[in-house]
Amino acid sequence: MAKKVKDPGLGEQSITSARRIVNKDGSFNIKHLNGKTGISALYAYLVDISWARFFLLVFLVYFVINMAFAMVYVTIGVEYISVAPKNFFADFVNAFFFSSQTITTLGYGAMAPTSILAGIVSSFQAVAGLLSFSFVTGLLYGRFSKPKASIQFSENIIYRDFKEGKALMFRLMNSKKDVMINPRVKVTLAITEDDEKQGYRRNFYQLALERDHITYLPTTWTLVHEIDKDSPLYKFSSSELKKLNGEFLIMVSYYDEAFNEEVYKLHSYTFEELLMNVAFEKSFYFDEEGYTVLDHHRISRTEKM
Amino acid sequence: MAKKVKDPGLGEQSITSARRIVNKDGSFNIKHLNGKTGISALYAYLVDISWARFFLLVFLVYFVINMAFAMVYVTIGVEYISVAPKNFFADFVNAFFFSSQTITTLGYGAMAPTSILAGIVSSFQAVAGLLSFSFVTGLLYGRFSKPKASIQFSENIIYRDFKEGKALMFRLMNSKKDVMINPRVKVTLAITEDDEKQGYRRNFYQLALERDHITYLPTTWTLVHEIDKDSPLYKFSSSELKKLNGEFLIMVSYYDEAFNEEVYKLHSYTFEELLMNVAFEKSFYFDEEGYTVLDHHRISRTEKM
Amino acid sequence: MAKKVKDPGLGEQSITSARRIVNKDGSFNIKHLNGKTGISALYAYLVDISWARFFLLVFLVYFVINMAFAMVYVTIGVEYISVAPKNFFADFVNAFFFSSQTITTLGYGAMAPTSILAGIVSSFQAVAGLLSFSFVTGLLYGRFSKPKASIQFSENIIYRDFKEGKALMFRLMNSKKDVMINPRVKVTLAITEDDEKQGYRRNFYQLALERDHITYLPTTWTLVHEIDKDSPLYKFSSSELKKLNGEFLIMVSYYDEAFNEEVYKLHSYTFEELLMNVAFEKSFYFDEEGYTVLDHHRISRTEKM
Amino acid sequence: MAKKVKDPGLGEQSITSARRIVNKDGSFNIKHLNGKTGISALYAYLVDISWARFFLLVFLVYFVINMAFAMVYVTIGVEYISVAPKNFFADFVNAFFFSSQTITTLGYGAMAPTSILAGIVSSFQAVAGLLSFSFVTGLLYGRFSKPKASIQFSENIIYRDFKEGKALMFRLMNSKKDVMINPRVKVTLAITEDDEKQGYRRNFYQLALERDHITYLPTTWTLVHEIDKDSPLYKFSSSELKKLNGEFLIMVSYYDEAFNEEVYKLHSYTFEELLMNVAFEKSFYFDEEGYTVLDHHRISRTEKM
């Protein structure tokens, strides 16, 4: 008999239109209201965005800051940064270049401050520039030293014949060259049901796995939940399964050899992501030189049984 | 029957006027005498202060150092930094700007050293400047990579009806978007009593919790200590409770997904922070898009029962 | 009786020409197909290469980038970086130097941009330069803060008389001054056999060790597997042993005092690296000042028994 | 009866003149022969030295490198760095300043390269300078982020009356403001004896402690080993004890709240550091504001019993 487990911390209450608990990228569907934001939140944001967005932002901010300082220098008067005033556009361009030469501490010197005000602004700008690039240095290192995206999940969870019965399976892949050590997996099933008394409620079940830990994970690992009498899914037929409102919450932890850290990764599958009666294709083979070849495109590929 | 536990390391001795053991921010009320201080202590200090104070200090130090070097350059003679001497004020201002252009390695060159002494000072200043900004880079990264302030406690601990009896409750909130994994809580009660033989003594008790660990903490978690026969607080009436001289010492630990580290957080409530016969308001709700909305302002809000 | 253990995650399937599972440096013989590559992969690569290669690459990239920007400045016209045009070679050399002075934010100013286009390119180059050196700073720190190469294995695993029977031995050395704390060792034997039904299959066995953990490892540690009745190797004669197609997979973990981190290290020996009937020479001795002298050259030295 | 324990990894062999196993600072008396040295070893060295030595080295290296480059520029000819040649001393001084302005990327421009050779050297020097300061940035951060010196041991281990018998005691102090969490202590006694058959041998014993772990360590902790029948020291009289050739090896581990890391610290006491029949003075007291005052000078102070 399947036994409910206590709420693992996600809350038992729900509503019909509730979003999935965990997204495919491991994040939660939570909005924070009245939360404090500050430089640390900015840092966290800048560590998490994509490289393209990161560099775009860096250059954009660099551009905008120089625009602002250029306005300041034009207001002060370009004659005080060693430039003969012409028209607004020419002055602004010169001031922009002076600003960029100052904030990067380049300081060619063809332009240089010649008044107290210009001197103060440029002194301040230089130190602010250095601080900004210190910030960027920290950010870059923060981005690199954060273990991420090295574990990949198959797109779907599958339902297939297994031994004398049925089983659910999904697959993990180590997408880096470094081996993952002591990976462990925990699968919690959340089923949302309409309880007449209490409204929409989530019930949680721990799913037993054929193996929930291995020693090394250099390539892929297929996780198997046999739907036997103890499984909470035993009582459902294939067609009933697909209609369930629920989610498989997966927590993988392993020791990351490259970062020398214990890493946790969350993932989830909904019942809509359940494929019926297919099997995973083999994801690796040996090439003629004896190497194991791991094809990242195959991790999610399935074939009819 | 409630059983005392051994001193968890805080000392059993006390005095009437002793401050609380742990402050609301998790720090202890300890003064160090004759402790060594050094650059590491300075670093620790600069990592812990607020951002406002941090930047203020950086700019202040930058200003003061340039003032000091300006004095040196004026003393050497501004003619040796390519400036025609005028009056002290004008010379000092020029020397200040030369100093700031040197320490940031800006080096416009409109001013440049022309004597051996000026050359030595500016050579030294440039390398000292680079070291300082290296220090600031380390500091910035140190500030960002230190997991802090991501767990928030309800302002009060409450005392309310629960099942057939009474219970104490307080609430935790994850104030970040990243989920906390495997949070665990340990509550130690310290009661200070006047023992005729030994003077003021602290007695320690471990408080049993309805649940002391969960798997995920994406939103809030209410901790419950039922005041049953085994509770050290069973023998006190509501009015006696409020008069006790004691403290609830709380240690929370969890795995921080964003920093990939196990994090510990201390907190405490005194009996003065105990609210009688109130209940916590709900802290989150679902919005029309199905998102869970977590309102940071509600974490401490209570309502009459 | 020796008992097989479950596949530790390496896969039971194999082929005749399969490469060893784990290389001497702890890496696996896996090729990734269709894997995503990006800046993080580049970072990981640059953290792992040798110092010589690292510096070579840095200077090479610096050279190539300056070549590219020099071409741009020549195309714009060297007159716009304050240089009187001569011939292509002279112009290119000047442009190269201007580029290097810009990317390092040196900015002597003897050359400086005098047109809008030259100004834009140099502004961009300066900030790109700063970003690049931020990247290099992160890389350097990443290289240093990654615990590596501090544990050394004897070149061979040996087979020798031990007590009344035979034993396998290999040796670990702490090659740093810092002591390793709580080192633990796990040895898994993989033997590949041709199974008529299933083709080449790997069978895995856990090897019992005389001692599999110690408290400190300041010098060397000899690991001993006694080949008694419970050993999977008991049934083989010396000559049969040498012909086995298999591998000793070794996982060492310890707490690294210098890096304050738990560190894992993989290693392997094939049966070709098995030396018969030799013993390890002593690897350390006391000098006349009472110091323990640890000779790194002796870690792998053996003598006839 | 006291039971020997297995060699914890330190080696059972010894000689009369052998140095103590662990020094007061936690290091071992081991010399490495034929060990590889490289940039990582240099980094480790520079992380461990004192701040005074560190800064001295940085400025010394800066000075020496500029001397070397100055020689190069003088050899090339100072006319190619925009300086009119005078005498060797004046030229060398100018070249030195040009070098320092280049390596720090200051680049005033009063001096600037005007030949291809001078251009190449200065281009190289600028990038080498940036790399060096990146290295220093990493070093500074490495120095700060390494948890050290926050635990302090009493200078001596003491032997005193305790309950009905005798006990050994030593004291730990948390010398920082941050609390240490879950500190644990393990004491191993190593006694070196002359065994007629095998020469000088070390025997190891685990010493039982009254308490070997606590929950918090905000101030001090006195460790107590009662010398009861199970103690390996039970058979020795006070005067015999002082003559023993042995060492108390201490391993402390705790979770460092400031660094968010598990930290290990080794220490040792020899029998020469054993004080007989004294007691530790109290190390902290409450001041009139109710603060606990922890006096670092008192940690080792003892008084006659």
Side-chain angles (χ1 to χ4, degrees), chain B residues 78-96:
Chain B
V78 289
E79 60 272 31
Y80 298 118
I81 52 169
S82 324
V83 174
K86 269 207 278 197
N87 52 58
F88 176 79
F89 178 74
D91 292 357
F92 186 84
V93 165
N94 277 320
F96 183 93

PDB file of all heavy atoms in Angstrom, chain B residues 78-96:
ATOM      1  N   VAL B  78      55.211  71.629  -6.706  1.00  0.00           N
ATOM      2  CA  VAL B  78      54.363  71.273  -7.838  1.00  0.00           C
ATOM      3  C   VAL B  78      55.069  71.449  -9.173  1.00  0.00           C
ATOM      4  O   VAL B  78      54.652  70.890 -10.183  1.00  0.00           O
ATOM      5  CB  VAL B  78      53.024  72.055  -7.852  1.00  0.00           C
ATOM      6  CG1 VAL B  78      52.100  71.582  -6.738  1.00  0.00           C
ATOM      7  CG2 VAL B  78      53.272  73.546  -7.778  1.00  0.00           C
ATOM      8  N   GLU B  79      56.169  72.238  -9.179  1.00  0.00           N
ATOM      9  CA  GLU B  79      56.899  72.359 -10.444  1.00  0.00           C
ATOM     10  C   GLU B  79      57.455  71.011 -10.889  1.00  0.00           C
ATOM     11  O   GLU B  79      57.712  70.788 -12.070  1.00  0.00           O
ATOM     12  CB  GLU B  79      58.025  73.405 -10.325  1.00  0.00           C
ATOM     13  CG  GLU B  79      59.077  73.117  -9.277  1.00  0.00           C
ATOM     14  CD  GLU B  79      58.704  73.669  -7.897  1.00  0.00           C
ATOM     15  OE1 GLU B  79      57.486  73.734  -7.601  1.00  0.00           O
ATOM     16  OE2 GLU B  79      59.603  74.021  -7.134  1.00  0.00           O
ATOM     17  N   TYR B  80      57.620  70.083  -9.944  1.00  0.00           N
ATOM     18  CA  TYR B  80      58.132  68.758 -10.300  1.00  0.00           C
ATOM     19  C   TYR B  80      57.025  67.793 -10.724  1.00  0.00           C
ATOM     20  O   TYR B  80      57.269  66.618 -10.969  1.00  0.00           O
ATOM     21  CB  TYR B  80      58.954  68.181  -9.140  1.00  0.00           C
ATOM     22  CG  TYR B  80      60.145  69.049  -8.836  1.00  0.00           C
ATOM     23  CD1 TYR B  80      60.288  69.658  -7.595  1.00  0.00           C
ATOM     24  CD2 TYR B  80      61.106  69.295  -9.816  1.00  0.00           C
ATOM     25  CE1 TYR B  80      61.360  70.484  -7.329  1.00  0.00           C
ATOM     26  CE2 TYR B  80      62.180  70.123  -9.564  1.00  0.00           C
ATOM     27  CZ  TYR B  80      62.313  70.719  -8.322  1.00  0.00           C
ATOM     28  OH  TYR B  80      63.365  71.543  -8.082  1.00  0.00           O
ATOM     29  N   ILE B  81      55.791  68.275 -10.749  1.00  0.00           N
ATOM     30  CA  ILE B  81      54.740  67.470 -11.384  1.00  0.00           C
ATOM     31  C   ILE B  81      54.151  68.288 -12.544  1.00  0.00           C
ATOM     32  O   ILE B  81      52.941  68.262 -12.798  1.00  0.00           O
ATOM     33  CB  ILE B  81      53.646  66.999 -10.393  1.00  0.00           C
ATOM     34  CG1 ILE B  81      53.077  68.173  -9.590  1.00  0.00           C
ATOM     35  CG2 ILE B  81      54.204  65.951  -9.429  1.00  0.00           C
ATOM     36  CD1 ILE B  81      51.816  67.817  -8.779  1.00  0.00           C
ATOM     37  N   SER B  82      55.045  69.033 -13.199  1.00  0.00           N
ATOM     38  CA  SER B  82      54.698  69.778 -14.422  1.00  0.00           C
ATOM     39  C   SER B  82      53.653  70.871 -14.224  1.00  0.00           C
ATOM     40  O   SER B  82      52.870  71.143 -15.130  1.00  0.00           O
ATOM     41  CB  SER B  82      54.201  68.847 -15.540  1.00  0.00           C
ATOM     42  OG  SER B  82      54.874  67.633 -15.543  1.00  0.00           O
ATOM     43  N   VAL B  83      53.603  71.462 -13.040  1.00  0.00           N
ATOM     44  CA  VAL B  83      52.646  72.527 -12.803  1.00  0.00           C
ATOM     45  C   VAL B  83      53.389  73.793 -12.365  1.00  0.00           C
ATOM     46  O   VAL B  83      54.290  73.713 -11.546  1.00  0.00           O
ATOM     47  CB  VAL B  83      51.629  72.131 -11.706  1.00  0.00           C
ATOM     48  CG1 VAL B  83      50.714  73.301 -11.353  1.00  0.00           C
ATOM     49  CG2 VAL B  83      50.830  70.917 -12.140  1.00  0.00           C
ATOM     50  N   ALA B  84      53.018  74.918 -12.949  1.00  0.00           N
ATOM     51  CA  ALA B  84      53.623  76.188 -12.518  1.00  0.00           C
ATOM     52  C   ALA B  84      53.030  76.568 -11.160  1.00  0.00           C
ATOM     53  O   ALA B  84      51.812  76.655 -11.031  1.00  0.00           O
ATOM     54  CB  ALA B  84      53.332  77.285 -13.539  1.00  0.00           C
ATOM     55  N   PRO B  85      53.868  76.768 -10.129  1.00  0.00           N
ATOM     56  CA  PRO B  85      53.362  77.071  -8.797  1.00  0.00           C
ATOM     57  C   PRO B  85      52.601  78.393  -8.797  1.00  0.00           C
ATOM     58  O   PRO B  85      52.997  79.342  -9.475  1.00  0.00           O
ATOM     59  CB  PRO B  85      54.629  77.204  -7.939  1.00  0.00           C
ATOM     60  CG  PRO B  85      55.749  76.707  -8.774  1.00  0.00           C
ATOM     61  CD  PRO B  85      55.340  76.804 -10.196  1.00  0.00           C
ATOM     62  N   LYS B  86      51.491  78.451  -8.101  1.00  0.00           N
ATOM     63  CA  LYS B  86      50.734  79.691  -7.932  1.00  0.00           C
ATOM     64  C   LYS B  86      50.610  79.957  -6.437  1.00  0.00           C
ATOM     65  O   LYS B  86      51.578  80.391  -5.817  1.00  0.00           O
ATOM     66  CB  LYS B  86      49.344  79.527  -8.577  1.00  0.00           C
ATOM     67  CG  LYS B  86      49.345  79.982 -10.043  1.00  0.00           C
ATOM     68  CD  LYS B  86      47.980  80.444 -10.513  1.00  0.00           C
ATOM     69  CE  LYS B  86      47.140  79.247 -10.892  1.00  0.00           C
ATOM     70  NZ  LYS B  86      45.974  79.548 -11.698  1.00  0.00           N
ATOM     71  N   ASN B  87      49.415  79.725  -5.891  1.00  0.00           N
ATOM     72  CA  ASN B  87      49.263  79.870  -4.451  1.00  0.00           C
ATOM     73  C   ASN B  87      49.056  78.489  -3.857  1.00  0.00           C
ATOM     74  O   ASN B  87      48.855  77.509  -4.582  1.00  0.00           O
ATOM     75  CB  ASN B  87      48.076  80.783  -4.130  1.00  0.00           C
ATOM     76  CG  ASN B  87      46.821  80.313  -4.842  1.00  0.00           C
ATOM     77  OD1 ASN B  87      46.394  79.188  -4.662  1.00  0.00           O
ATOM     78  ND2 ASN B  87      46.264  81.173  -5.692  1.00  0.00           N
ATOM     79  N   PHE B  88      49.082  78.404  -2.534  1.00  0.00           N
ATOM     80  CA  PHE B  88      48.988  77.094  -1.903  1.00  0.00           C
ATOM     81  C   PHE B  88      47.728  76.356  -2.321  1.00  0.00           C
ATOM     82  O   PHE B  88      47.765  75.174  -2.657  1.00  0.00           O
ATOM     83  CB  PHE B  88      49.032  77.213  -0.370  1.00  0.00           C
ATOM     84  CG  PHE B  88      48.847  75.875   0.295  1.00  0.00           C
ATOM     85  CD1 PHE B  88      49.902  74.974   0.378  1.00  0.00           C
ATOM     86  CD2 PHE B  88      47.615  75.497   0.805  1.00  0.00           C
ATOM     87  CE1 PHE B  88      49.735  73.730   0.964  1.00  0.00           C
ATOM     88  CE2 PHE B  88      47.438  74.239   1.385  1.00  0.00           C
ATOM     89  CZ  PHE B  88      48.502  73.366   1.468  1.00  0.00           C
ATOM     90  N   PHE B  89      46.609  77.066  -2.328  1.00  0.00           N
ATOM     91  CA  PHE B  89      45.351  76.393  -2.641  1.00  0.00           C
ATOM     92  C   PHE B  89      45.363  75.791  -4.053  1.00  0.00           C
ATOM     93  O   PHE B  89      45.059  74.618  -4.249  1.00  0.00           O
ATOM     94  CB  PHE B  89      44.171  77.356  -2.484  1.00  0.00           C
ATOM     95  CG  PHE B  89      42.860  76.725  -2.841  1.00  0.00           C
ATOM     96  CD1 PHE B  89      42.264  75.794  -1.990  1.00  0.00           C
ATOM     97  CD2 PHE B  89      42.222  77.026  -4.038  1.00  0.00           C
ATOM     98  CE1 PHE B  89      41.066  75.190  -2.320  1.00  0.00           C
ATOM     99  CE2 PHE B  89      41.024  76.416  -4.376  1.00  0.00           C
ATOM    100  CZ  PHE B  89      40.439  75.505  -3.515  1.00  0.00           C
ATOM    101  N   ALA B  90      45.762  76.606  -5.013  1.00  0.00           N
ATOM    102  CA  ALA B  90      45.812  76.137  -6.401  1.00  0.00           C
ATOM    103  C   ALA B  90      46.792  74.982  -6.540  1.00  0.00           C
ATOM    104  O   ALA B  90      46.508  73.972  -7.206  1.00  0.00           O
ATOM    105  CB  ALA B  90      46.205  77.286  -7.333  1.00  0.00           C
ATOM    106  N   ASP B  91      47.939  75.096  -5.907  1.00  0.00           N
ATOM    107  CA  ASP B  91      48.932  74.026  -5.972  1.00  0.00           C
ATOM    108  C   ASP B  91      48.395  72.742  -5.355  1.00  0.00           C
ATOM    109  O   ASP B  91      48.566  71.644  -5.896  1.00  0.00           O
ATOM    110  CB  ASP B  91      50.208  74.439  -5.218  1.00  0.00           C
ATOM    111  CG  ASP B  91      50.937  75.574  -5.921  1.00  0.00           C
ATOM    112  OD1 ASP B  91      50.483  75.987  -7.018  1.00  0.00           O
ATOM    113  OD2 ASP B  91      51.927  76.058  -5.380  1.00  0.00           O
ATOM    114  N   PHE B  92      47.731  72.901  -4.201  1.00  0.00           N
ATOM    115  CA  PHE B  92      47.195  71.739  -3.502  1.00  0.00           C
ATOM    116  C   PHE B  92      46.144  71.033  -4.358  1.00  0.00           C
ATOM    117  O   PHE B  92      46.132  69.803  -4.462  1.00  0.00           O
ATOM    118  CB  PHE B  92      46.598  72.171  -2.157  1.00  0.00           C
ATOM    119  CG  PHE B  92      46.153  71.005  -1.334  1.00  0.00           C
ATOM    120  CD1 PHE B  92      47.063  70.312  -0.540  1.00  0.00           C
ATOM    121  CD2 PHE B  92      44.835  70.577  -1.359  1.00  0.00           C
ATOM    122  CE1 PHE B  92      46.658  69.228   0.219  1.00  0.00           C
ATOM    123  CE2 PHE B  92      44.430  69.484  -0.608  1.00  0.00           C
ATOM    124  CZ  PHE B  92      45.338  68.811   0.184  1.00  0.00           C
ATOM    125  N   VAL B  93      45.285  71.815  -4.978  1.00  0.00           N
ATOM    126  CA  VAL B  93      44.252  71.239  -5.837  1.00  0.00           C
ATOM    127  C   VAL B  93      44.892  70.467  -6.984  1.00  0.00           C
ATOM    128  O   VAL B  93      44.528  69.321  -7.285  1.00  0.00           O
ATOM    129  CB  VAL B  93      43.305  72.341  -6.363  1.00  0.00           C
ATOM    130  CG1 VAL B  93      42.467  71.833  -7.528  1.00  0.00           C
ATOM    131  CG2 VAL B  93      42.407  72.837  -5.236  1.00  0.00           C
ATOM    132  N   ASN B  94      45.874  71.074  -7.631  1.00  0.00           N
ATOM    133  CA  ASN B  94      46.564  70.376  -8.716  1.00  0.00           C
ATOM    134  C   ASN B  94      47.227  69.092  -8.215  1.00  0.00           C
ATOM    135  O   ASN B  94      47.154  68.047  -8.875  1.00  0.00           O
ATOM    136  CB  ASN B  94      47.621  71.300  -9.346  1.00  0.00           C
ATOM    137  CG  ASN B  94      46.990  72.220 -10.379  1.00  0.00           C
ATOM    138  OD1 ASN B  94      46.120  71.816 -11.149  1.00  0.00           O
ATOM    139  ND2 ASN B  94      47.417  73.485 -10.383  1.00  0.00           N
ATOM    140  N   ALA B  95      47.875  69.196  -7.070  1.00  0.00           N
ATOM    141  CA  ALA B  95      48.553  68.022  -6.508  1.00  0.00           C
ATOM    142  C   ALA B  95      47.548  66.928  -6.168  1.00  0.00           C
ATOM    143  O   ALA B  95      47.805  65.737  -6.364  1.00  0.00           O
ATOM    144  CB  ALA B  95      49.343  68.416  -5.260  1.00  0.00           C
ATOM    145  N   PHE B  96      46.373  67.358  -5.686  1.00  0.00           N
ATOM    146  CA  PHE B  96      45.318  66.399  -5.366  1.00  0.00           C
ATOM    147  C   PHE B  96      44.886  65.646  -6.632  1.00  0.00           C
ATOM    148  O   PHE B  96      44.772  64.426  -6.637  1.00  0.00           O
ATOM    149  CB  PHE B  96      44.121  67.132  -4.755  1.00  0.00           C
ATOM    150  CG  PHE B  96      43.005  66.219  -4.337  1.00  0.00           C
ATOM    151  CD1 PHE B  96      42.938  65.737  -3.034  1.00  0.00           C
ATOM    152  CD2 PHE B  96      42.013  65.830  -5.236  1.00  0.00           C
ATOM    153  CE1 PHE B  96      41.919  64.890  -2.642  1.00  0.00           C
ATOM    154  CE2 PHE B  96      40.995  64.975  -4.848  1.00  0.00           C
ATOM    155  CZ  PHE B  96      40.950  64.510  -3.545  1.00  0.00           C
TER     156      PHE B  96
END
